[in-house]
Amino acid sequence: MRTEKKQELARRRHWRVRKKVIGTPERPRMSVKFSGRNIYVQFIDDRAGHTLTAVSSLSKAVTDRDPLAANAAGAARIGKLAAEAAKAKGIAHVVFDRGGARYHGKVKALADAAREAGLEF
């Protein structure tokens, strides 16, 4: 019962954010998802309904994946790699979708690392 309530509240928070955050081809949505063990980042064009590029802590492009975890240090590393992948696809400006999570801790670490690597949002 209690976990179902938490999941419903998280789903509502995410919907509330998604009402306002829309990705376009010029400015795709940078969607961030944290599971218990992994971090996932996607750059999405919502008008076409396509993922332009994606990076996660499970990606083969990520070297030395073993020590990566869903914590602030791992989030900073994935944020930098996500920004590099976006730059390779010609993406410079994005809209940040925090996925209903609070903007602090690992979400903030990921966003700051992506900004330092050259993404603008």
Side-chain angles (χ1 to χ4, degrees):
M1 175 69 181
R2 186 176 174 136
T3 56
E4 292 169 359
K5 183 69 173 174
K6 280 182 160 183
Q7 289 172 343
E8 176 61 27
L9 292 173
R11 195 173 304 118
R12 285 184 187 183
R13 278 192 308 272
H14 193 192
W15 286 340
R16 199 165 38 239
V17 170
R18 284 286 293 120
K19 276 194 305 189
K20 300 170 188 158
V21 178
I22 298 168
T24 63
E26 302 82 32
R27 202 169 167 183
R29 175 169 55 98
M30 180 181 176
S31 176
V32 176
K33 168 72 176 146
F34 289 89
S35 72
R37 293 184 181 181
N38 296 301
I39 304 167
Y40 307 91
V41 178
Q42 294 183 37
F43 295 91
I44 304 166
D45 172 10
D46 287 318
R47 288 189 184 159
H50 291 288
T51 297
L52 304 173
T53 186
V55 175
S56 77
S57 55
L58 298 174
S59 298
K60 291 185 179 182
V62 177
T63 56
D64 197 27
R65 286 181 279 166
D66 295 334
L68 272 181
N71 57 23
R77 195 159 152 222
I78 294 297
K80 183 179 178 196
L81 292 170
E84 291 170 2
K87 289 282 201 180
K89 289 281 188 173
I91 301 168
H93 301 281
V94 296
V95 178
F96 190 67
D97 176 10
R98 56 190 171 82
R102 288 185 179 167
Y103 188 84
H104 75 100
K106 48 192 172 180
V107 176
K108 185 176 187 310
L110 189 141
D112 289 343
R115 279 192 188 104
E116 287 174 13
L119 275 184
E120 294 182 28
F121 55 94

